[in-house]
């Protein structure tokens, strides 16, 4: 091994320390370990040489330029709430955390946009624009912790995306630092614009493999009106699927249309929610924030009953609406209660992400239930029925090699089932390292080669988040 390669980590640290404030560079073992991975299981990670927490875009430029000159890989990170391994460190890399770049730069009510840095959490942004009578609709489940930069990297969605769209629909422009340290801006502040290739859309969902986001211009909407909700339970998956199809075909635009399978419904029943009855094969939770939500809910209630629902609760007040939506928000506590009751030091809940055409939802849920039985596992499936995006959650004991192996096989079976039904391996969590093999199957050779070509164009040295999404 050459002395240059051997001395690279020391040279890197010397150059960074000579140019940056000491407090933004972390090298202690605890910090390196804490920043080694995101929240995804089954995904390899390495040990970084240093964790950098820049406060400014100029500091990001310097870090990127220095790493590029020394051929050191850089792995961007946000809050590490990702579920695909996209923020996992590689050995000897610079972990570049943008979490400290958390300023909301301006809110522009006249043009309905906000400018912010990537470390701003989704909740804080939503609260800031609400003070101006505006809303930022994307609402990932981890919205209290996840950052705007991470949302952009993964193309995050959320419960209300069935009506309001996903992160990509709200990113107007980006301030970027390229792998070699050059700075550029994509997009525009105008309501319309088609000048040149759409590099903004290319960066959204690229999982930190093409450039580092150091600023974003996001579109806003007027504050959402008050919403009402209904909860419908069904004796079969087919009946629930028919209800979803009927709601969509009738032209309704619910602000949430969520589906819980048998296992998830029962877990919430066990937690004590007063509206849910035991024994249902599926539960739909529907929310309307239209101009006339009561009338829309009445129409959707009728469609649910015609499809075969044997229990419907419809809200007439804000408090009743919150109680219904609370059933959806209780999914995580219900799973936690199930895991606590089961016990086991290595118990893990792996939240998966697969999307299929809406018409195939009942079939996929049935296949997931069969996969759970075949592999002797507990799988809780919930998801955004309005856009066909499901989140099967596999519960397994990571300290048990046999159960871990069965969980991994079940995960692969779910991916295969989704693709077989004309779906995609990820609706909003991304590819990272976890799904690279499945991405290759989904894209095909021609599309895959174009994707690799884009990676080489932006990052000819393959130093920015290497090994994620596509391999080159």
């Amino acid at each position: 091994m050459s002395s240059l390669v051997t001395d690279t980590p020391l040279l890197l640290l010397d150059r960074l320390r000579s140019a940056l404030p000491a407090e933004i560079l972390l090298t202690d073992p605890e910090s390196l370990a804490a920043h080694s991975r995101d929240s995804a299981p089954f995904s390899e990670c390495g040990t970084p040489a240093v964790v950098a927490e820049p406060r400014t875009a100029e500091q990001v430029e310097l870090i990127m330029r220095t790493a590029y000159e020394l051929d050191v890989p850089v792995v961007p990170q946000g809050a590490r709430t990702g579920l695909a391994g996209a923020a996992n460190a590689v050995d000897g890399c610079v972990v570049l955390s943008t979490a400290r770049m958390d300023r909301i730069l301006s809110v522009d009510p006249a043009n309905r946009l906000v400018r912010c840095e990537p470390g701003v959490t989704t909740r804080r942004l939503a609260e800031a624009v609400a003070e101006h009578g505006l809303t930022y609709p994307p609402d990932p489940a981890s919205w209290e912790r996840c950052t705007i930069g991470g949302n952009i990297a993964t193309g995050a969605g959320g419960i209300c995306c069935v009506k309001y769209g996903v992160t990509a629909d709200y990113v107007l422009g980006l301030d970027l630092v390229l792998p070699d340290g050059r700075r550029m801006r994509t997009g525009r502040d105008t309501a319309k614009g088609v000048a040149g290739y759409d590099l903004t859309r290319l960066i959204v969902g690229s999982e930190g493999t093409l450039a580092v986001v150091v600023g974003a211009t996001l579109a806003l909407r007027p504050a959402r009106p008050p919403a009402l909700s209904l909860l419908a339970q069904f004796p079969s998956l087919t009946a629930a699927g028919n209800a979803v199809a009927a709601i969509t075909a009738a032209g309704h635009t619910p602000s949430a249309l969520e589906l819980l399978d048998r296992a998830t419904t029962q877990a919430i029943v066990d937690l004590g929610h007063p509206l849910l009855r035991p024994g249902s094969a599926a539960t739909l939770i529907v929310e309307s924030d239209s101009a006339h939500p009561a009338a829309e809910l009445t129409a959707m209630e009728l469609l649910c009953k015609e499809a075969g629902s044997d229990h419907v609760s419809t809200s007439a007040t804000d408090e009743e609406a919150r109680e219904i939506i609370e059933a959806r928000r209780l999914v995580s506590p219900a799973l936690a209660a199930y895991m606590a009751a089961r016990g086991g030091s290595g118990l893990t809940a792996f939240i998966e992400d697969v999307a299929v055409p809406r018409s195939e939802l009942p079939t996929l849920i049935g296949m997931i239930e069969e996969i759970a039985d075949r592999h002797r596992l507990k799988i809780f499936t919930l998801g955004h029925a309005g856009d066909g995006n499901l989140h099967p959650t596999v519960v397994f004991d990571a300290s048990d090699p046999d159960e871990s192996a069965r969980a991994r096989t079940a995960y692969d079976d779910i991916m295969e089932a989704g693709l077989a039904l004309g779906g995609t391996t990820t609706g909003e969590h991304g590819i990272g390292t976890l799904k690279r093999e499945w991405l290759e199957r989904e894209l095909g050779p021609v599309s895959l080669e174009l994707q690799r070509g884009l990676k080489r164009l932006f990052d000819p040295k393959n130093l920015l988040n290497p090994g994620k999404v596509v391999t080159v």
Side-chain angles (χ1 to χ4, degrees):
M1 183 178 293
S2 71
S3 60
L4 177 61
V5 173
T6 304
D7 295 340
T8 294
L10 294 176
L11 183 57
L12 170 74
L13 289 173
D14 285 345
R15 289 184 56 175
L16 292 179
R17 284 169 175 157
S18 67
L20 295 168
E23 65 269 16
I24 77 169
L25 299 174
L26 309 177
T27 57
D28 60 284
E30 294 79 10
S31 295
L32 299 182
H35 290 80
S36 65
R37 64 179 311 120
D38 61 18
S39 300
F42 304 133
S43 55
E44 67 273 12
C45 68
T47 302
V50 59
V51 174
E53 296 182 328
R55 272 57 165 183
T56 68
E58 289 73 23
Q59 290 175 345
V60 174
E61 291 180 68
L62 187 147
I63 293 166
M64 297 298 292
R65 187 165 55 247
T66 303
Y68 193 81
E69 291 171 356
L70 295 175
D71 293 333
V72 174
V74 176
V75 175
Q77 283 186 357
R80 304 190 301 282
T81 57
L83 293 165
N88 286 7
V90 298
D91 284 334
C93 74
V94 176
V95 162
L96 197 160
S97 170
T98 58
R100 302 281 186 178
M101 299 175 65
D102 59 357
R103 294 181 301 159
I104 297 174
L105 302 174
S106 65
V107 180
D108 183 349
N111 292 301
R112 291 184 185 170
L113 55 83
V114 58
R115 298 176 182 86
C116 70
E117 292 181 327
V120 176
T121 64
T122 311
R123 176 174 182 169
R124 182 164 158 249
L125 184 79
E127 291 173 344
V129 302
E131 296 176 3
H132 298 267
L134 298 167
T135 185
Y136 177 68
D139 61 342
S142 58
W143 77 299
E144 293 186 349
R145 293 179 53 218
C146 64
T147 63
I148 293 298
N151 293 351
I152 291 169
T154 60
I159 293 175
C160 74
C161 61
V162 60
K163 180 174 182 177
Y164 290 101
V166 296
T167 298
D169 299 311
Y170 292 88
V171 182
L172 296 176
L174 293 171
D175 190 4
L176 303 172
V177 176
L178 296 175
D180 60 6
R182 289 179 294 166
R183 183 97 164 262
M184 66 172 289
R185 188 179 188 277
T186 71
R188 71 268 186 262
D189 292 347
T190 56
K192 295 194 302 184
V194 292
Y197 298 118
D198 192 345
L199 297 182
T200 303
R201 280 281 220 176
L202 178 61
I203 297 299
V204 177
S206 64
E207 303 182 51
T209 62
L210 303 181
V212 177
V213 175
V214 293
T217 301
L218 307 171
L220 303 173
R221 289 198 176 197
R224 293 173 57 185
L228 294 177
S229 309
L230 74 80
L231 178 152
Q233 294 183 260
F234 297 84
S236 71
L237 290 167
T238 300
N242 289 339
V244 172
I247 289 170
T248 303
H252 296 294
T253 54
S255 48
L257 183 52
E258 297 291 290
L259 178 64
L260 314 178
D261 74 342
R262 184 187 303 274
T264 310
T265 297
Q266 188 59 48
I268 298 172
V269 169
D270 293 342
L271 206 60
H273 193 281
L275 298 180
L276 281 173
R277 296 179 180 178
S280 289
T283 300
L284 280 182
I285 297 173
V286 188
E287 180 187 78
S288 171
D289 63 1
S290 68
H292 305 286
E296 185 171 46
L297 282 184
T298 298
M300 290 191 287
E301 177 183 359
L302 179 61
L303 293 172
C304 287
K305 290 179 176 178
E306 290 176 346
S309 174
D310 53 12
H311 172 56
V312 180
S313 295
T314 304
S315 67
T317 66
D318 290 346
E319 183 177 348
E320 291 173 353
R322 283 193 294 271
E323 187 174 44
I324 289 174
I325 292 299
E326 182 68 10
R328 173 62 176 83
R329 300 191 189 282
L330 282 176
V331 170
S332 293
L335 265 61
Y338 166 81
M339 294 169 67
R342 174 178 162 176
S345 60
L347 212 57
T348 298
F350 175 33
I351 304 173
E352 199 21 69
D353 171 44
V354 61
V356 293
R358 284 188 295 259
S359 59
E360 299 291 354
L361 271 179
T363 302
L364 179 59
I365 293 176
M367 294 172 75
I368 292 169
E369 290 182 344
E370 186 276 327
I371 289 168
D373 290 341
R374 175 157 34 96
H375 294 295
R376 308 188 311 282
L377 294 166
K378 194 75 169 179
I379 301 180
F380 300 87
T381 301
L382 64 147
H384 316 308
D387 55 22
N389 189 188
L390 291 181
H391 297 304
T393 302
V394 184
V395 176
F396 66 99
D397 188 347
S399 65
D400 182 336
D402 176 67
E403 190 161 288
S404 293
R406 285 187 278 119
R408 181 58 192 256
T409 303
Y411 157 79
D412 285 336
D413 289 349
I414 293 170
M415 292 296 100
E416 186 172 7
L419 288 183
L421 293 172
T424 176
T425 54
T426 177
E428 54 190 7
H429 290 175
I431 296 296
T433 60
L434 199 59
K435 298 184 178 181
R436 284 176 308 197
E437 176 188 348
W438 288 103
L439 179 70
E440 293 179 6
R441 298 190 196 186
E442 181 175 339
L443 291 182
V446 176
S447 178
L448 186 62
E449 185 52 37
L450 285 174
Q451 303 247 354
R452 287 171 170 158
L454 286 169
K455 170 65 173 172
R456 287 189 289 265
L457 178 64
F458 275 81
D459 185 15
K461 289 187 176 183
N462 191 29
L463 294 175
L464 185 57
N465 218 8
K468 314 296 173 59
V469 187
V470 295
T471 54
V472 296

